[in-house]
Amino acid sequence: MGSVDSVAFYMHELNRETGMYEEILTVLGICYLGKLTVSLTWSAIQGFRAHVLSRIVPTPSIADTYGRWAVITGCTAGVGRAYTVELARRGVNVVLISRNVDKLSDLAKEVEMDFSVETKIIQADFTEGRPLYQRIAKELEMLDIGVLVNNVGVLHGTPLYLTEMGENDIWDMINVNVGAMTMMTRIVLPSMLRRQRGIIVNLSSISSLQPLPLMGVYGATKAYIDYLSQALSEECRGTGVQVQSLVPGYLNTDMLHLSSQSNPYLVPSPEMFSRHAICTLGIVDRTSGYWLHGLIMPLWSMWPTWLSVRIGHWWNRNIRHSIISRERRNTSQITKTR
């Protein structure tokens, strides 16, 4: 009987411990589902405000709300150019900052003729780093700047391992993606705070949501932009100044490979993206800027980091292989032609 009692006692204790672990797992599961529900609900509310409500409810003039002038960096191509045109279309004077004087002049003439706005051009190569900003600050000091679009960015064309990147390429990416956004904000923000109005728009990327092998430096710079934007948004709360982080997915720009044949709704043009994104000004502090990317962003953020890293590595290896193969074929064809 003693051995039977021992077995019964052991089974009783085992069942008790098993039940305790089951209760712990149940509580953890409920907490996780609660977090998931809150996160998805909040994302849905923000998405509705950004992509539905903003297009239904009439919004006041950007110039009247924020100021007469907008500053756009990296404005001669891609999203920067499209944003410039959209702001000018809404009657905002534009300060155009980029490194190519001829392209700056052409864009200035275009928006002046099409929309009857004032323009100012500043030639600047943000890879120069710190010495550049004193001159830019002097050029801007007398203007009523209501909008700053920190768009300028650098992305190497082929996915590369860190050891394959040149030292100059790394510093260019840091100086442009990190330095330009930070210092341009530092230049413009004090006057916005004094006037108690203004909005700063910072271009991040979906690549900032998880570490991205073969684009690690680029993704890290975009994560910096997103994090600093969220911090500044909170710092400026109640001052009349807003800071918005734009976190788009893939866009059909010259910076990205393999997008030219993509679905135009999933991979929108800079013009389509900018028309959507500009409607979110003053509505949300952090957004994908484009409704379909807004559906992808919260789902991507909820994936385990290790899985996202593995998928990102696989994806970029395939892109890398495709680009290198195409370049070799082109080189071979050129050699045969000669």
Side-chain angles (χ1 to χ4, degrees):
M1 290 294 294
S3 61
V4 174
D5 291 341
S6 297
V7 170
F9 176 77
Y10 173 77
M11 293 302 297
H12 173 73
E13 289 297 309
L14 181 61
N15 289 335
R16 188 175 69 82
E17 290 185 9
T18 301
M20 180 179 67
Y21 292 139
E22 288 177 349
E23 289 177 1
I24 292 173
L25 289 175
T26 299
V27 171
L28 291 175
I30 291 172
C31 290
Y32 178 76
L33 287 175
K35 175 189 174 184
L36 196 62
T37 301
V38 171
S39 177
L40 289 175
T41 301
W42 179 246
S43 295
I45 292 171
Q46 291 292 84
F48 178 79
R49 292 179 62 205
H51 306 300
V52 179
L53 197 61
S54 66
R55 303 179 75 86
I56 296 175
V57 178
T59 55
S61 160
I62 292 176
D64 291 341
T65 303
Y66 299 114
R68 296 175 53 244
W69 286 87
V71 177
I72 308 97
T73 64
C75 60
T76 55
V79 173
R81 191 182 198 286
Y83 233 99
T84 298
V85 171
E86 286 300 317
L87 287 166
R89 191 192 309 279
R90 287 162 171 76
V92 182
N93 301 324
V94 288
V95 180
L96 311 176
I97 306 181
S98 191
R99 62 182 176 179
N100 189 305
V101 174
D102 293 335
K103 291 182 179 180
L104 284 170
S105 299
D106 290 343
L107 180 57
K109 291 174 184 176
E110 178 183 330
V111 296
E112 286 174 0
M113 183 177 298
D114 291 346
F115 307 113
S116 301
V117 296
E118 296 180 54
T119 65
K120 179 180 178 64
I121 64 174
I122 300 176
Q123 190 278 332
D125 183 349
F126 288 103
T127 62
E128 294 177 9
R130 186 174 181 178
L132 181 70
Y133 296 100
Q134 186 174 357
R135 176 170 64 85
I136 293 177
K138 189 171 183 62
E139 296 264 14
L140 298 178
E141 62 183 0
M142 300 304 294
L143 299 178
D144 176 23
I145 298 171
V147 182
L148 168 63
V149 181
N150 280 312
N151 166 76
V152 68
V154 171
L155 169 64
H156 46 74
T158 304
L160 298 172
Y161 292 98
L162 179 64
T163 52
E164 295 175 323
M165 295 180 66
E167 185 175 338
N168 289 338
D169 293 333
I170 293 173
W171 276 114
D172 286 351
M173 195 170 288
I174 293 171
N175 283 331
V176 176
N177 296 7
V178 172
M181 172 263 173
T182 307
M183 295 309 298
M184 288 300 301
T185 299
R186 180 64 182 82
I187 288 170
V188 169
L189 184 57
S191 61
M192 287 184 173
L193 291 172
R194 283 195 299 272
R195 292 194 299 270
Q196 298 184 339
R197 66 174 187 172
I199 187 165
I200 297 170
V201 181
N202 295 323
L203 265 291
S204 182
S205 166
I206 196 172
S207 62
S208 70
L209 300 182
Q210 302 284 7
L212 192 57
L214 279 79
M215 290 175 59
V217 178
Y218 176 79
T221 63
K222 291 299 182 178
Y224 172 93
I225 291 172
D226 185 33
Y227 272 55
L228 181 56
S229 298
Q230 292 181 67
L232 291 173
S233 176
E234 183 62 29
E235 289 180 15
C236 293
R237 193 174 303 281
T239 65
V241 178
Q242 297 167 298
V243 180
Q244 183 187 65
S245 179
L246 277 182
V247 191
Y250 283 119
L251 303 176
N252 194 346
T253 68
D254 293 338
M255 291 180 71
L256 292 176
H257 285 271
L258 305 181
S259 61
S260 59
Q261 302 301 319
S262 300
N263 187 305
Y265 294 101
L266 184 60
V267 185
S269 67
E271 291 75 22
M272 180 184 292
F273 169 77
S274 297
R275 283 196 300 270
H276 283 79
I278 207 165
C279 292
T280 69
L281 290 179
I283 304 295
V284 289
D285 293 339
R286 185 172 185 261
T287 175
S288 66
Y290 178 64
W291 71 273
L292 192 52
H293 293 171
L295 299 177
I296 297 171
M297 194 168 79
L299 298 177
W300 184 257
S301 298
M302 287 186 294
W303 284 31
T305 299
W306 68 266
L307 182 58
S308 297
V309 170
R310 293 288 177 84
I311 292 173
H313 194 188
W314 170 82
W315 177 265
N316 278 335
R317 273 205 312 261
N318 287 341
I319 294 176
R320 170 190 172 89
H321 176 74
S322 176
I323 293 172
I324 292 174
S325 297
R326 185 169 65 242
E327 289 175 348
R328 284 174 179 170
R329 285 195 302 271
N330 292 339
T331 302
S332 176
Q333 289 172 0
I334 292 171
T335 302
K336 289 179 181 179
T337 302
R338 290 178 179 174

